[in-house]
Amino acid sequence: MGEQGSAEATETANPHKTIKRTKAANAAGAAATAAPRPREASGARPESRLALVRRARRINRELAELYPYAHPELDFENPFQLLVATVLSAQTTDLRVNQTTPALFAAYPTPEDMAAADPEALEQLIRPTGFFRAKAKSLLGLSAALRDRFGGEVPGRLDDLVTLPGVGRKTANVVLGNAFGVPGLTVDTHFGRLVRRWKWTAQEDPEKVEAEIAALFPKSEWTMLSHRIIFHGRRVCHARKPACGACPIAPLCPSYGEGETDPDKAKKLLKYEMGGQPGQRLRPPAGYPGRAAAPLGATAPPDATAPVDATAPVDATAPVDATAPADATAPADATAPLGAAE
């Protein structure tokens, strides 16, 4: 793993050494103290299983320090709202979902209400999220299934959740972990990208990724690990140009150097609260250090000190994002990336 050798060799030589601890407020500056390292050289000694587990768990601890406020970035008040929001999040951003769901849940607060919805009216409410016809079909189907097979309640078992239209393992794990407290890994595009960059797995199939990463951590860590990795992927370790020079876990990353390594340039790549920008939630949880996102159609982000009225209806006259896909023929596949457009 570069000039430092394997994680196992590093920790054996100096077991008390830890990378600089940092909070979100000064995360960008912390990476400037991390010595750059090349990517893993050919012929380097392969990392042992024990070293991999130790390095993976150390990264998790560092992410917990960096994002003590990590949370699901979809606004919801109950399991039904989270289930619906997660289905809508396929092939769009969590922000766009959060801007859309206040009016949706005001119109259809229960599975019974949504199951009885006029399809065209439902489509128009969720149109900003893209693929609205396919997503409306999934929402009508899962709402009817909840009404008819589960007494109007979202089930708390994975085997039951994946029988619902538009719901796969990823969506089921989001709901189980965040609405029921059942540990699960959310393998979206950010999660998959980062665990492969960190050499935790070489798998591409989401279920195989889930299985291999689950084996590295105690079950109790799965849900929060997912949040931390997704937070880091959205804010620092981007798909096209990761901010390597502003990454506090750079000393543990075998892919350091794939992105911008200059600290000042990398700092400009940081997003959301790390870059001084609004977050994705209209109603962020207590302890979130960033600003709330603006409602759909708002011309400017709300004052960080002012509460956002989540019950206010979405502006129906606001234009739909032209970059959002409007093709309704594509399926709302539950295996589609969560917040893939972020």
Side-chain angles (χ1 to χ4, degrees):
M1 275 192 4
E3 63 190 15
Q4 298 284 325
S6 71
E8 181 180 48
T10 300
E11 294 196 6
T12 300
N14 192 351
H16 302 292
K17 180 179 178 182
T18 58
I19 69 171
K20 181 177 178 67
R21 300 283 178 178
T22 181
K23 301 296 183 181
N26 63 359
T33 64
R37 64 198 59 216
R39 300 182 199 178
E40 186 171 338
S42 59
R45 183 161 63 94
E47 186 176 38
S48 70
R49 175 70 180 182
L50 178 59
L52 169 61
V53 171
R54 286 176 173 173
R55 182 170 60 86
R57 294 186 181 186
R58 190 174 173 194
I59 287 176
N60 183 39
R61 292 194 299 271
E62 298 299 333
L63 293 178
E65 287 277 334
L66 182 61
Y67 306 111
Y69 51 86
H71 59 272
E73 293 189 271
L74 291 169
D75 287 329
F76 69 98
E77 294 181 352
N78 55 56
F80 176 63
Q81 289 188 1
L82 179 57
L83 177 61
V84 169
T86 307
V87 170
L88 291 177
S89 71
Q91 302 296 334
T92 191
T93 65
D94 286 358
L95 171 59
R96 184 44 56 95
V97 174
N98 292 336
Q99 292 172 324
T100 302
T101 51
L104 176 66
F105 295 141
Y108 311 114
T110 69
E112 291 83 359
D113 295 323
M114 192 169 288
D118 174 70
E120 291 186 4
L122 179 59
E123 288 172 6
Q124 289 308 305
L125 282 173
I126 66 172
R127 187 184 182 101
T129 68
F131 302 108
F132 55 91
R133 292 196 182 94
K135 289 180 180 180
K137 184 177 179 181
S138 291
L139 295 185
L140 290 169
L142 73 83
S143 296
L146 293 177
R147 178 196 62 196
D148 299 339
R149 295 197 280 121
F150 298 102
E153 300 290 336
V154 176
R157 292 189 338 118
L158 187 143
D159 288 347
D160 292 329
L161 283 168
V162 295
T163 67
L164 302 173
V167 178
R169 285 187 64 90
K170 183 196 71 182
T171 297
N173 279 330
V174 171
V175 173
L176 290 173
N178 299 288
F180 293 100
V182 178
L185 292 172
T186 302
V187 184
D188 71 350
T189 52
H190 304 289
F191 188 102
R193 178 177 72 254
L194 268 62
V195 298
R196 282 187 287 272
R197 279 180 176 166
W198 294 334
K199 311 301 182 187
W200 292 2
T201 181
Q203 298 292 342
E204 296 284 344
D205 179 78
E207 288 197 27
K208 293 180 179 178
V209 171
E210 180 183 344
E212 290 200 0
I213 304 308
L216 298 176
F217 296 91
K219 192 172 183 178
S220 59
E221 285 290 309
W222 291 353
T223 299
M224 285 308 301
L225 174 70
S226 298
H227 292 324
R228 293 164 190 154
I229 291 176
I230 292 171
F231 257 59
H232 198 61
R234 287 173 171 168
R235 287 152 177 79
V236 180
C237 196
H238 313 305
R240 295 180 182 175
K241 199 170 185 180
C244 293
C247 180
I249 63 169
L252 298 171
C253 180
S255 298
Y256 177 87
E258 286 189 7
E260 180 58 65
T261 58
D262 180 86
D264 292 332
K265 293 179 180 179
K267 187 176 179 180
K268 296 177 182 179
L269 299 174
L270 301 178
K271 294 183 178 180
Y272 303 111
E273 77 284 354
M274 300 283 279
Q277 304 156 5
Q280 300 197 82
R281 294 187 67 165
L282 276 62
R283 295 173 295 155
Y288 176 68
R291 291 178 288 156
L296 192 65
T299 56
D303 187 328
T305 63
V308 177
D309 182 3
T311 63
V314 175
D315 182 0
T317 63
V320 175
D321 183 2
T323 64
D327 178 11
T329 62
D333 185 355
T335 62
L338 185 66
E342 296 166 86

